[in-house]
Amino acid sequence: MIDLKGEEDFDGNFEDRGRDLQAEIEAERIAEALVFASSQPVSEGFLAERLPEKTDVHAIMLRLKEQYAPRGVNLVQVEGAWAFRTAADLSFVIRRDDNEVKKLSRAALEVLAIIAYHQPVTRAEIEDIRGVQTSRGTLDVLMEAGWVRFRGRRRTPGRPVTLGTTRDFLDHFGLEELRDLPGLEELKGAGLLSGRIPANFNIPSPLMNDELTEDEDPITQMDLEELGLLAPRGTSED
């Protein structure tokens, strides 16, 4: 005797699985389109608001990332957000000399590195680490590039402004998060550190998020008006 009910249950489950698969495919297409259409990395929260309820956004993005991994365009994660970027090994194909970003001066590179590894950091702390004054122009360049931002104000006399890096900084240098910054051995291997560095020299571990620390206050509109375009004082050249 044939169990028709069992056959109906099988057909029903099969149809349910088919609908679920189709829904996942459609959600992938929507997520793909949203990221493609955006000029900035797209957060998973933004995607969740536009995808069907209960969609596992992170799982969808990981699947898309895997699908794009061998292609000329990759789906990359930048500080929790997603963006399409040219595959690293093909960047030379689309590079144009007239469109290349002007190279940073040594002073700007030093300041950027200090901010990246030591953030939140004040201008006085930057100068203490470098051993020289930092010009207004150096910080101007980094802020105009969109790689450095005001974080907050330190709860110390004078309430100095603290500086940190931005999502654009991570995006430009191909980093998913700050923990991907090169460590001591990587910097040595790249020839970016002298072979005669002190034995006790070490590279600090940068913050893993943008939240203000216990000794920082948020920057207010009044602070911005007081600071103008740049907070650091002094006009001496590096």
Side-chain angles (χ1 to χ4, degrees), residues 154-201:
R154 186 70 53 76
R155 294 176 183 172
T156 56
R159 300 184 68 244
V161 173
T162 56
L163 300 166
T165 53
T166 65
R167 179 182 288 173
D168 285 345
F169 164 79
L170 296 176
D171 193 14
H172 180 84
F173 290 97
L175 305 171
E176 287 191 8
E177 52 188 358
L178 287 173
R179 73 172 73 247
D180 295 326
L181 284 167
L184 181 60
E185 296 305 318
E186 292 174 289
L187 292 173
K188 284 182 180 178
L192 298 176
L193 287 179
S194 167
R196 295 179 293 178
I197 59 177
N200 62 346
F201 178 82

Side-chain angles (χ1 to χ4, degrees), residues 55-105:
T55 298
D56 189 339
V57 177
H58 189 65
I60 283 178
M61 300 312 292
L62 289 179
R63 285 199 298 272
L64 283 172
K65 179 180 180 180
E66 185 176 355
Q67 293 170 23
Y68 275 93
R71 305 182 67 173
V73 174
N74 296 157
L75 181 63
V76 300
Q77 194 169 11
V78 184
E79 204 177 42
W82 296 88
F84 283 112
R85 294 291 181 262
T86 303
D89 62 326
L90 296 179
S91 59
F92 71 95
V93 177
I94 61 173
R95 182 179 297 129
R96 296 290 183 271
D97 292 339
D98 56 347
N99 289 329
E100 286 190 16
V101 177
K102 182 179 179 181
K103 289 185 177 180
L104 295 178
S105 66

Side-chain angles (χ1 to χ4, degrees), residues 10 28 34 82 141 215:
F10 176 80
E28 285 184 4
L34 289 170
W82 296 88
V141 168
D215 66 346

